[in-house]
Structure formats: structure tokens, C-alpha cells
Amino acid sequence: MSALVERFGVTVRQLRVQNGWSQVQLAERSELDRSYVGEIERGRVIASIVTAEKLAFALQIDVAALLSRCQLLDQQRAGQLISLAAIAR
């Protein structure tokens, strides 16, 4: 899968955990199947824009902010890689 799909899943998981919810609770709040939420979090499926909207609504964040967090996660990881490269020198 693409890096964006993986980052989206990680972001959904982070927000779910921050809310103290299980996958079942997020699935119920977003009207999705629990196993599908798990697949999204693991980056194994590509969520449609409708699914992203359902997850964002359940997580009390707008879709744009959810996607921005995915980009921020990518920037943080890039920064970590740069730091690790500097340490390895």
C-alpha cells in the first residue's frame, strides 16, 4: 500500500487512542465494521472519502484536519530520519 494509506491508518489509530476508545467504539461511532476499522488502522485498505468523513466525524475532527495530521506525521518521520542519519555519522 502507499505511504499515505499507512499514515492515514496510523493517524486514525492515534486519534482513537487519544480518545480512549477501542476499535469497537470507533466503529460504532463511525457506523463502520470493527474489522474494517482495524484494516484501515493497519494500512491494509484504502478508505474512501466517505469513510474518511465518517471517521473524522466520529473522531470530532474535520476531514481536512485529519488529512493534515497525516501530512504532519510524514514530516515528523522525515525529521526523525534526518536526526538518525546525523547520529549515525
Side-chain angles (χ1 to χ4, degrees):
M1 282 294 157
S2 79
L4 175 60
V5 173
E6 292 174 14
R7 287 191 313 269
F8 183 79
V10 168
T11 301
V12 169
R13 179 182 300 123
Q14 286 175 342
L15 291 169
R16 175 181 60 76
V17 169
Q18 284 176 10
N19 282 303
W21 299 340
S22 66
Q23 285 183 349
V24 171
Q25 289 170 308
L26 177 57
E28 288 172 354
R29 290 171 188 263
S30 59
E31 299 179 351
L32 298 169
D33 186 81
R34 196 248 7 117
S35 63
Y36 186 55
V37 169
E39 292 291 309
I40 290 169
E41 288 188 357
R42 288 188 294 282
R44 295 192 177 167
V45 296
I46 299 171
S48 71
I49 192 70
V50 172
T51 298
E53 182 179 50
K54 286 181 177 185
L55 288 166
F57 182 79
L59 293 164
Q60 301 166 347
I61 189 171
D62 63 72
V63 175
L66 179 59
L67 295 175
S68 291
R69 288 181 70 116
C70 294
Q71 185 177 19
L72 179 62
L73 179 64
D74 192 38
Q75 291 169 351
Q76 289 171 341
R77 285 188 176 171
Q80 289 171 348
L81 290 175
I82 291 169
S83 295
L84 290 174
I87 292 170
R89 289 184 190 172

